[in-house]
Amino acid sequence: MMTKKTISASRASLILFLCQMITALEVPLDLSQPPTITQQSPKDYIVDPRENIVIQCEAKGKPPPSFSWTRNGTHFDIDKDARVTVKPNSGTLVINIMNGGKAEAYEGVYQCTARNERGAAISNNIVIRPSRSPLWTKEKVEPKHVREGDPLVLHCSPPVGLPPPIIFWMDNSFQRLPQNERVSQGLNGDLYFSNVKPEDTREDYICYARFNHTQTIQQKQPISVKVFSMDSLNETISANLSDTGFYGAKPLTERRPTLLTPVGSTSNKVELRGNVLLLECIAEGLPTPVIRWIKEGGELPINRTFFENFKKTLKIIEVSEADSGKYKCVARNPLGSTHHTITVTVKAAPYWITAPRNLVLSPGEDGTLICRANGNPKPNISWLTNGVPIAIAPEDPSRKVDGDTIIFSDVQERSSAVYQCNASNEYGYLLANAFVNVLAEPPRILTPANKLYQIIANNPALLDCAFFGSPVPEIEWFKGVKGSILHGDLYVFHDNGTLEIPVAQKDSTGTYTCVARNKLGKVQNEVHLEVKDPTMIIKQPEYKIIQKGGQVSFECTIKHDRTLMPTITWLKDNGELPVDERFIIHKDSLAIMNVTDKDDGTYTCVANTTLDSVSASAVLTVVDRPDPPFDLELTDQLERSIQLSWIPGYDNNSPITNFVIEYEDGMREPGVWHYQTEVHGTQTTVQLKLSPYVNYSFRVIAVNEIGRSQPSEASEQYLTKAAKPDENPSGVQGIGSEPDNLVIIWEPLKGFQSNGPGLQYKVSWRQKDVGDEWTSVIVANVSKYIVSGTPTFVPYEIKVQALNDLGYAPEPAEVIGHSGEDLPMVAPGNVQVHIVNSTLAKVHWDPVPLKTVRGHLQGYRIYYWKVQSLSKRRRRHVEKKILTFSGNKTHGMLPGLEPYSSYKLNVRVVNGKGEGPASPDKLFKTPEGVPSSPSFLKISNPTLDSLTLEWGPPTHPNGVLIAYTLKFQPINSTHELGPLIEIRIPANETSLILSNLNYSTRYKFYFYAQTSVGSGSQITEEAVTIMDEGYSETLFATSPVIHTVHPTFYKVRPVYPRIRNVTASAAETYANISWEYEGPDHVNFYVEYGVAGSKEDWKKEIVNGSRSFFVLKGLTPGTSYKVRVGAEGLSGFVSSEDVFETGPAMASRQVDIATQGWFIGLMCAVALLILILLIVCFIRRNKGGKYPVKEKEDAHADPEIQPMKEDDGTFGEYSDAEDHKPLKKGSRTPSDRTVKKEDSDDSLVDYGEGVNGQFNEDGSFIGQYSGKKEKEPAEGNESSEAPSPVNAMNSFV
């Protein structure tokens, strides 16, 4: 169980403070004061006579006091005795004994006086006595002859020593004699026997006295005790009748108790208050009495009462007057009781009620000295002043004696003196010194300035303000620099100046000021208080159970004030941890490796700081397999049973659940142990059943939850007597291995089942129901006998009997066996087959006569095999199958047949020897079934809108195929399935072309064959039409190996309307959007767009008419946009998204180029060339007439200037000047769905007008290359903006 303990340093401080409060006011040693005795020897001072005598007397005062001594009431002149010296600056006497002196010469009563000009203080009367350890007086110790059962007291009578010796009894080997309720030592040292036994006989009963003061032991002469038993005593009496006082020993009889000590029925006892009360009663009797204590008219005091010496001694500590009364001890045994009453009277030496305390007064003040004491009898109070009885001391008008009180009034400096109060009665005295010191002193604070106090929160804080002054100063406390005076329930103000905060909190931290003032002045002092957070164990160690050899860890996580440095110490059973490397201490845990039995115990984590301590404990229980039992004993030995007993070994903290008893047969299997039985863990004896003629040994194994103990040592061997067998062999059978024999087998008896030597078996047999006599043989060391020449498969009665040298076992039971079997003679007849379905048939047959079976009928066996498949019309390899039907059945089911096939079967009877002849083969046919799945489905030649399918016929048609069924459906990008389309295909087809499919679409196909019975298993495949290509008229060519017919073409209507190939051609602030549409006519489109990656709503633009292009205007240059196209009226039908990027703004780049000098020069050259060209053109025109732009294009065939197609507004074929690769129709954006100027084939800059080109509303260019033949070259570009030099360069050839 886990415990937690917290110790606060502040509590220790509080205890110290309370002790200080009861101390008289201390006068600083720098001020005049009378002497005060600070140290003195005890009143009763027993000294070692071999060492120097030191009598202490120390005192303080100002001026320092001088010392004088009296001995036995007269002045002790120290200077006259060379052996006596006084320690320097002290009154302590040192008497040199070690150089020939005798301590006895200095016995006496000594008293010390310390004196200065203000008075004299005296010590107690110190009685000096040297210790004594005298030898035993020589005496002749007579041997003790005592009769068995009688009481006996061996007296010790030790010599009188100082102090009294400690008594104990030992033998010659210095071994203490054992004591118990029967034999014990009394308080006087005698050895008491309530009754003696023969084993008490010995010659070395020795009493020893140990004198602790001198560290010596004295020994008494050994005492011899001879105890006579009743039998030996009678023999001794008859042989030595004249030499004994006995005239015939009485038999040992029981008797009621009587007391050996104390004598009589009553006694008295006086004890002093505060001492230990010891009361004793020792009784004799047979049987040994037991003692019980009671207090008449009251209860024995709780917590102060103890019983010792086997309850023969009553011990009460710290007795008081309330413990007076009558105490009765009662001795009792079965024959009766006796008692003794002890009247206890508690007296008391004087003890203080109010001891006088030093009194410091200022001139003119009043005061009192009080001396009150109590005792029994009541003590006498007497006063002395400066060591002289006050009655004969000099008069002092300021004092008045009133019994136990001296009253002072209007004292003056001459009133200073030391007063002694003496309280005495017949049991002792008390002497106290108290001075009256008259001083006039301003206040002074004795506590150091700026003293720091640190305390744990929620504990009391004690802030000292030790002071002195005369008159006594008044004390006030303030908190903080400008704080007000402290008062109220939050603080306690003590007379010695201490400020107590009963429950200090964190806000109690601060600076406190103590102010002391009297009429002579004022003084103050500051102290500082810091309140710390308490140390806590937030994760305590927990109770652990661990198996021996394992490892365990105890956690101890602490939380503490950050300004305190804790130390964690681990304890085991409140002591230090063993010094062992297996104990590993981490920061927050203790780990124990390879745990042993010795690690069992309580582990405590102690967290210490300078201010507090906290601890938590947990118990570790080490468990292990139990220790082996021991002291095995065999008792109650009988022929067939024995009792085994044992003593359990230590359970290693895990209770023993059961004991396993094993035996060894030392005669047949020495060293091999067998299970005998087991008993509950509380049992230590067991009655074991035994078998005859076995040499037994036993051992015991203890078992607990951890495991099994090691086996105990083997018991002694026990050989049981031989006997006839108790049982016969088991497992007797009669079977034949051949048609003409009978094999008799049995399980032989094991080892001790034989019950004796010469084990044999009597084997007997006869044919059943024939009336033959038994035939018998006796065999040994075998478990089988073969009888030859028997008829085939006839029943026999069989028995096997055990016997040994002592006789036969009981008559065995008979069993029925059979001679050997032969093959059946007849085949089953009338075999019929009933067809259940295409894969199952039921077969019937007539059973064969049992006589023809010639053995144990095991069942019937059907052989069946497939002749041919009716669908393939070809024979196959014959693979016969076999089904066996157990017992005498006449029908069976044939599962797993192949449909539409021809089968044959026959039936045979089976016995233990084998099969009989087969019935004639029976032919039957199975009907058609559903086919297996097609052998394969291959999809090839994907085009934009078609796929080619090829397949193979089913591996198992299971009938005549009548058709194939194809089902397919589209799958979109989110793996959702579209509408399912079904096509029926003739059975002789092996391929199919599906056309008019959706572009770039995945399809899932389901394909299966059919017979007249139904559809077979389907095969599935998936395929995708290609993304974009020109139309191909290539016909499908089937594989010549698989196909012999041309493929079938099948057109499929579009599954749903769709918009695809959305493309965007972007300029700086606008973009041309185009798309392709498949679906119903007369559909109105709309275009939605927005900034790519933005969460803003789509912006929507309506397309006029059913055109497939649209121009988006007002776009931001250099921005990525997303776009999609939808159809009005078709709910939720929109295209996939496309992404494009507008061109960057060109203004800043044009300005930068135009300001360059090289560019200006180049432009001048270009202008000159254009001028020349215009002149040439003008001359040629004058010569040849009008020259349309179209003809000029055809003449120059400029690869970078191509017209737009008028049918759809897209650009026509374009050939790159470098690689001459054609652009495919409907070319789309790159895979990242963005259009980049530097790598897009459709960039507007590449088509003559750059980023400043303009579109008409229908998407065609406005300008020279609009495709209108009427346009003249001289008319130029019709754009509202002037062409830039860059555009002019791009247009120039």
Side-chain angles (χ1 to χ4, degrees):
M1 183 177 66
M2 183 169 56
T3 61
K4 183 176 179 182
K5 182 180 179 182
T6 304
I7 304 172
S8 174
S10 62
R11 286 185 169 83
S13 301
L14 179 60
I15 295 172
L16 180 62
F17 161 73
L18 294 176
C19 293
Q20 294 172 347
M21 283 188 63
I22 62 175
T23 304
L25 185 65
E26 292 288 332
V27 180
L29 285 176
D30 62 337
L31 298 178
S32 296
Q33 57 184 293
T36 300
I37 300 290
T38 58
Q39 191 173 4
Q40 58 183 319
S41 294
K43 294 178 182 178
D44 191 6
Y45 188 17
I46 299 174
V47 298
D48 190 335
R50 299 167 299 180
E51 297 179 353
N52 292 339
I53 302 173
V54 178
I55 310 175
Q56 291 183 330
C57 180
E58 303 289 341
K60 66 178 182 176
K62 187 177 177 68
S66 60
F67 297 89
S68 62
W69 285 88
T70 62
R71 177 183 175 190
N72 297 326
T74 61
H75 176 68
F76 183 36
D77 194 346
I78 298 170
D79 297 333
K80 292 182 179 181
D81 194 332
R83 295 186 179 276
V84 181
T85 59
V86 180
K87 287 185 177 182
N89 303 317
S90 169
T92 299
L93 296 182
V94 179
I95 304 174
N96 189 348
I97 300 299
M98 300 180 67
N99 294 325
K102 291 185 178 181
E104 290 81 359
Y106 292 93
E107 285 190 63
V109 180
Y110 292 79
Q111 189 173 41
C112 170
T113 301
R115 187 185 308 274
N116 68 8
E117 62 187 28
R118 286 191 167 246
I122 61 175
S123 71
N124 291 322
N125 287 331
I126 302 171
V127 180
I128 302 296
R129 293 186 296 171
S131 65
R132 297 181 179 87
S133 53
L135 299 176
W136 250 287
T137 57
K138 290 188 177 182
E139 59 177 329
K140 184 178 180 181
V141 180
E142 297 291 337
K144 301 289 185 179
H145 297 277
V146 62
R147 186 173 55 180
E148 180 183 2
D150 285 355
L152 175 65
V153 179
L154 299 182
H155 297 286
C156 179
S157 303
V160 177
L162 186 66
I166 297 173
I167 307 299
F168 51 92
W169 289 80
M170 294 198 296
D171 59 16
N172 278 330
S173 301
F174 296 100
Q175 299 296 316
R176 285 185 179 268
L177 296 177
Q179 298 187 25
N180 48 44
E181 290 183 346
R182 186 178 63 86
V183 181
S184 61
Q185 176 184 316
L187 294 175
N188 62 356
D190 293 345
L191 190 63
Y192 293 88
F193 294 78
S194 294
N195 51 78
V196 295
K197 293 184 177 181
E199 56 262 32
D200 295 328
T201 299
R202 63 189 309 150
E203 297 180 351
D204 56 351
Y205 285 94
I206 304 174
C207 180
Y208 289 86
R210 184 175 66 205
F211 297 90
N212 282 344
H213 224 76
T214 57
Q215 296 297 311
T216 58
I217 297 177
Q218 305 292 354
Q219 172 185 336
K220 187 175 182 174
Q221 291 293 324
I223 302 175
S224 174
V225 174
K226 175 70 174 178
V227 178
F228 294 98
S229 66
M230 298 312 301
D231 294 338
S232 63
L233 186 60
N234 284 328
E235 292 175 1
T236 303
I237 291 172
S238 61
N240 305 289
L241 185 59
S242 60
D243 297 330
T244 180
F246 295 107
Y247 292 93
K250 297 180 181 179
L252 186 64
T253 57
E254 297 181 344
R255 63 184 181 277
R256 61 181 297 166
T258 59
L259 289 175
L260 295 175
T261 184
V263 296
S265 61
T266 61
S267 61
N268 296 303
K269 173 78 172 181
V270 175
E271 192 56 78
L272 292 182
R273 178 181 183 272
N275 288 354
V276 176
L277 173 66
L278 293 174
L279 303 179
E280 180 182 58
C281 276
I282 300 177
E284 62 90 8
L286 188 67
T288 301
V290 294
I291 304 297
R292 185 169 64 91
W293 291 90
I294 57 175
K295 182 181 181 182
E296 294 183 359
E299 298 290 334
L300 294 175
I302 300 174
N303 300 328
R304 294 190 293 116
T305 301
F306 303 92
F307 297 100
E308 297 179 346
N309 197 20
F310 310 99
K311 291 191 175 182
K312 299 175 186 178
T313 301
L314 172 65
K315 177 180 178 181
I316 301 176
I317 61 174
E318 298 178 4
V319 295
S320 64
E321 289 86 343
D323 295 322
S324 297
K326 293 184 177 182
Y327 293 81
K328 180 186 289 186
C329 68
V330 180
R332 184 184 302 276
N333 72 3
L335 276 74
S337 65
T338 187
H339 69 272
H340 182 93
T341 301
I342 304 173
T343 301
V344 174
T345 302
V346 178
K347 298 291 185 178
Y351 57 91
W352 290 118
I353 297 176
T354 303
R357 300 174 61 185
N358 292 338
L359 189 60
V360 179
L361 299 173
S362 63
E365 282 191 320
D366 302 335
T368 59
L369 285 179
I370 299 174
C371 177
R372 290 177 183 164
N374 201 358
N376 186 9
K378 188 173 181 63
N380 178 49
I381 303 295
S382 61
W383 288 96
L384 296 87
T385 178
N386 296 326
V388 178
I390 200 166
I392 60 175
E395 287 289 335
D396 185 351
S398 65
R399 74 170 179 241
K400 177 183 178 182
V401 177
D402 184 9
D404 59 7
T405 303
I406 301 179
I407 303 171
F408 297 92
S409 57
D410 191 21
V411 296
Q412 301 300 320
E413 187 175 352
R414 65 178 180 275
S415 301
S416 296
V418 180
Y419 291 85
Q420 289 82 33
C421 173
N422 187 311
S424 60
N425 67 10
E426 60 185 284
Y427 297 106
Y429 74 94
L430 292 174
L431 178 67
N433 290 278
F435 65 66
V436 175
N437 197 13
V438 180
L439 294 172
E441 284 292 325
R444 63 170 69 181
I445 293 179
L446 307 178
T447 299
N450 295 311
K451 184 176 181 180
L452 175 64
Y453 293 88
Q454 293 180 324
I455 201 70
I456 296 297
N458 300 317
N459 283 296
L462 300 171
L463 307 184
D464 292 332
C465 184
F467 64 90
F468 183 80
S470 183
V472 176
E474 294 180 357
I475 302 298
E476 293 176 334
W477 281 93
F478 300 85
K479 182 180 180 184
V481 178
K482 298 181 179 179
S484 58
I485 186 171
L486 299 180
H487 60 274
D489 297 336
L490 297 179
Y491 305 96
V492 177
F493 304 95
H494 295 282
D495 292 341
N496 66 350
T498 297
L499 170 66
E500 178 183 355
I501 306 174
V503 183
Q505 301 295 334
K506 294 288 284 186
D507 58 4
S508 302
T509 299
T511 299
Y512 291 81
T513 302
C514 165
V515 177
R517 60 165 56 90
N518 66 10
K519 63 184 180 180
L520 300 178
K522 182 182 81 169
V523 67
Q524 69 180 36
N525 185 35
E526 289 184 353
V527 296
H528 307 283
L529 175 64
E530 291 181 358
V531 181
K532 308 290 187 178
D533 291 325
T535 304
M536 295 184 293
I537 297 180
I538 57 177
K539 191 161 189 180
Q540 302 178 357
E542 297 178 347
Y543 173 71
K544 296 290 179 70
I545 299 177
I546 193 70
Q547 187 173 350
K548 181 180 177 182
Q551 65 182 50
V552 67
S553 177
F554 291 106
E555 293 187 80
C556 183
T557 304
I558 68 170
K559 180 181 178 182
H560 61 92
D561 192 282
R562 59 184 180 84
T563 63
L564 301 177
M565 295 301 295
T567 59
I568 296 180
T569 305
W570 286 92
L571 306 176
K572 179 180 185 294
D573 297 328
N574 294 324
E576 294 183 357
L577 285 180
V579 180
D580 193 330
E581 61 184 7
R582 297 182 301 106
F583 289 78
I584 302 173
I585 298 177
H586 300 288
K587 178 183 177 183
D588 296 327
S589 65
L590 167 67
I592 307 175
M593 317 302 292
N594 192 21
V595 173
T596 67
D597 296 336
K598 295 181 180 179
D599 299 332
D600 198 273
T602 300
Y603 289 83
T604 303
C605 164
V606 182
N608 288 304
T609 67
T610 55
L611 298 181
D612 65 346
S613 176
V614 63
S615 66
S617 299
V619 175
L620 172 63
T621 301
V622 180
V623 297
D624 195 13
R625 298 182 299 173
D627 293 342
F630 57 94
D631 283 355
L632 272 66
E633 184 179 5
L634 297 176
T635 55
D636 298 341
Q637 290 122 337
L638 301 175
E639 289 187 3
R640 295 296 182 97
S641 69
I642 196 168
Q643 180 170 289
L644 172 65
S645 59
W646 62 89
I647 297 176
Y650 180 53
D651 64 6
N652 288 315
N653 296 321
S654 180
I656 296 174
T657 56
N658 57 295
F659 293 99
V660 177
I661 294 90
E662 296 181 338
Y663 71 90
E664 174 197 35
D665 183 357
M667 183 187 305
R668 299 174 181 84
E669 295 179 297
V672 179
W673 291 89
H674 303 275
Y675 173 85
Q676 170 89 7
T677 186
E678 61 184 88
V679 298
H680 192 269
T682 57
Q683 273 187 251
T684 57
T685 61
V686 63
Q687 197 75 21
L688 301 174
K689 293 183 179 180
L690 306 179
S691 295
Y693 199 54
V694 178
N695 192 13
Y696 281 102
S697 289
F698 300 97
R699 70 182 187 185
V700 182
I701 299 171
V703 182
N704 64 10
E705 289 186 356
I706 310 304
R708 295 162 63 101
S709 72
Q710 292 294 321
S712 67
E713 295 290 334
S715 71
E716 59 181 311
Q717 290 187 333
Y718 179 63
L719 178 63
T720 54
K721 294 181 180 180
K724 296 184 293 183
D726 292 327
E727 52 189 312
N728 288 301
S730 60
V732 178
Q733 297 182 53
I735 56 175
S737 60
E738 298 294 337
D740 60 350
N741 73 7
L742 172 65
V743 180
I744 302 173
I745 60 175
W746 62 90
E747 288 287 335
L749 298 181
K750 295 180 181 179
F752 58 81
Q753 291 179 312
S754 64
N755 286 3
L759 177 64
Q760 295 178 304
Y761 301 99
K762 180 181 178 182
V763 184
S764 305
W765 69 92
R766 67 181 177 184
Q767 190 171 338
K768 190 174 183 296
D769 299 331
V770 176
D772 290 348
E773 293 295 325
W774 289 94
T775 303
S776 301
V777 295
I778 294 178
V779 296
N781 301 321
V782 296
S783 59
K784 179 174 70 173
Y785 184 76
I786 300 176
V787 181
S788 303
T790 61
T792 300
F793 195 67
V794 294
Y796 278 87
E797 295 175 330
I798 303 166
K799 58 184 180 181
V800 180
Q801 186 177 22
L803 67 151
N804 63 16
D805 293 348
L806 280 78
Y808 285 88
E811 185 67 20
E814 299 174 8
V815 298
I816 303 299
H818 287 80
S819 57
E821 299 179 76
D822 206 347
L823 294 176
M825 301 170 60
V826 179
N830 193 24
V831 177
Q832 301 292 329
V833 179
H834 172 67
I835 303 300
V836 178
N837 56 39
S838 61
T839 60
L840 180 65
K842 185 175 184 180
V843 183
H844 292 265
W845 63 87
D846 291 340
V848 300
L850 290 179
K851 290 184 178 181
T852 66
V853 176
R854 297 200 296 180
H856 295 286
L857 176 63
Q858 293 187 356
Y860 290 88
R861 191 168 290 160
I862 298 177
Y863 286 76
Y864 65 101
W865 60 96
K866 182 178 176 182
V867 178
Q868 68 176 16
S869 173
L870 299 180
S871 60
K872 297 181 180 179
R873 297 295 180 183
R874 61 184 180 89
R875 294 185 177 275
R876 53 173 286 173
H877 170 69
V878 175
E879 180 184 350
K880 290 189 176 181
K881 297 182 180 180
I882 303 172
L883 280 178
T884 300
F885 300 92
S886 301
N888 196 17
K889 289 191 176 180
T890 59
H891 65 274
M893 306 296 287
L894 298 183
L897 302 177
E898 293 186 11
Y900 207 50
S901 300
S902 178
Y903 281 87
K904 283 187 178 181
L905 64 78
N906 59 51
V907 186
R908 312 176 192 202
V909 67
V910 183
N911 66 10
K913 190 71 173 178
E915 299 176 349
S919 66
D921 291 348
K922 184 73 174 181
L923 178 67
F924 66 96
K925 298 178 181 178
T926 56
E928 285 189 81
V930 297
S932 63
S933 62
S935 56
F936 69 88
L937 176 61
K938 179 181 178 184
I939 304 174
S940 60
N941 298 335
T943 67
L944 196 63
D945 60 356
S946 68
L947 294 168
T948 300
L949 282 68
E950 300 175 75
W951 61 88
T955 305
H956 301 287
N958 295 337
V960 179
L961 296 181
I962 60 174
Y964 292 100
T965 298
L966 173 67
K967 296 181 181 180
F968 64 96
Q969 57 191 147
I971 306 174
N972 65 12
S973 59
T974 60
H975 305 288
E976 295 174 343
L977 297 173
L980 190 65
I981 299 174
E982 181 176 332
I983 303 172
R984 187 174 177 86
I985 304 169
N988 60 345
E989 296 288 348
T990 57
S991 64
L992 176 69
I993 297 177
L994 284 177
S995 61
N996 206 19
L997 299 176
N998 290 340
Y999 145 81
S1000 186
T1001 302
R1002 177 177 293 277
Y1003 288 89
K1004 186 168 186 177
F1005 298 90
Y1006 314 88
F1007 192 67
Y1008 54 87
Q1010 292 174 290
T1011 65
S1012 60
V1013 177
S1015 301
S1017 302
Q1018 67 180 13
I1019 184 172
T1020 63
E1021 286 290 343
E1022 291 186 12
V1024 183
T1025 55
I1026 66 174
M1027 296 178 64
D1028 194 2
E1029 68 175 7
Y1031 179 74
S1032 175
E1033 295 293 339
T1034 305
L1035 292 178
F1036 180 87
T1038 59
S1039 171
V1041 178
I1042 301 176
H1043 306 289
T1044 57
V1045 297
H1046 291 290
T1048 300
F1049 290 85
Y1050 186 86
K1051 287 193 174 183
V1052 182
R1053 289 181 57 83
V1055 177
Y1056 48 77
R1058 60 179 178 175
I1059 300 173
R1060 61 181 185 177
N1061 291 349
V1062 177
T1063 59
S1065 299
E1068 186 175 343
T1069 58
Y1070 49 84
N1072 182 30
I1073 311 300
S1074 61
W1075 59 89
E1076 294 178 8
Y1077 168 73
E1078 293 179 2
D1081 298 331
H1082 309 294
V1083 174
N1084 294 323
F1085 300 99
Y1086 62 89
V1087 176
E1088 291 181 321
Y1089 69 102
V1091 177
S1094 173
K1095 296 183 179 180
E1096 296 178 359
D1097 294 337
W1098 292 83
K1099 297 179 181 179
K1100 186 174 182 181
E1101 298 287 345
I1102 303 299
V1103 179
N1104 293 330
S1106 57
R1107 292 180 299 175
S1108 57
F1109 61 89
F1110 185 79
V1111 179
L1112 290 176
K1113 300 179 181 180
L1115 304 180
T1116 302
T1119 305
S1120 294
Y1121 286 86
K1122 57 185 178 180
V1123 65
R1124 65 186 182 189
V1125 179
E1128 296 283 351
L1130 298 177
S1131 177
F1133 181 70
V1134 294
S1135 68
S1136 59
E1137 294 181 18
D1138 194 13
V1139 178
F1140 65 92
E1141 184 177 358
T1142 55
M1146 302 298 291
S1148 61
R1149 184 169 58 190
Q1150 293 169 356
V1151 172
D1152 293 339
I1153 296 175
T1155 59
Q1156 301 298 318
W1158 63 269
F1159 184 77
I1160 297 173
L1162 179 60
M1163 290 300 101
C1164 292
V1166 170
L1168 180 59
L1169 290 175
I1170 293 174
L1171 180 59
I1172 295 171
L1173 180 60
L1174 291 175
I1175 295 172
V1176 172
C1177 291
F1178 181 78
I1179 294 172
R1180 292 188 62 183
R1181 180 178 181 185
N1182 291 337
K1183 291 182 179 182
K1186 290 187 177 180
Y1187 186 25
V1189 174
K1190 180 64 177 176
E1191 294 173 3
K1192 183 170 71 173
E1193 289 176 354
D1194 294 338
H1196 290 279
D1198 190 339
E1200 293 189 12
I1201 304 175
Q1202 298 294 334
M1204 295 182 64
K1205 295 178 67 176
E1206 295 181 357
D1207 55 345
D1208 58 3
T1210 61
F1211 295 108
E1213 293 295 321
Y1214 169 73
S1215 177
D1216 191 291
E1218 294 180 3
D1219 55 15
H1220 304 288
K1221 294 180 181 179
L1223 259 179
K1224 293 182 179 180
K1225 178 182 179 181
S1227 177
R1228 302 195 302 165
T1229 59
S1231 59
D1232 63 355
R1233 310 301 294 169
T1234 61
V1235 179
K1236 297 181 180 178
K1237 184 176 73 66
E1238 60 269 23
D1239 58 5
S1240 174
D1241 291 338
D1242 293 335
S1243 173
L1244 298 178
V1245 178
D1246 295 335
Y1247 291 98
E1249 291 299 323
V1251 296
N1252 294 317
Q1254 298 293 317
F1255 291 96
N1256 283 324
E1257 288 187 358
D1258 60 358
S1260 60
F1261 277 109
I1262 302 173
Q1264 182 179 356
Y1265 305 109
S1266 64
K1268 296 182 180 180
K1269 295 181 180 180
E1270 297 79 17
K1271 278 292 180 184
E1272 295 295 333
E1275 295 176 13
N1277 196 324
E1278 293 183 1
S1279 173
S1280 61
E1281 297 179 13
S1284 69
V1286 176
N1287 294 334
M1289 290 180 61
N1290 289 336
S1291 303
F1292 182 74
V1293 179

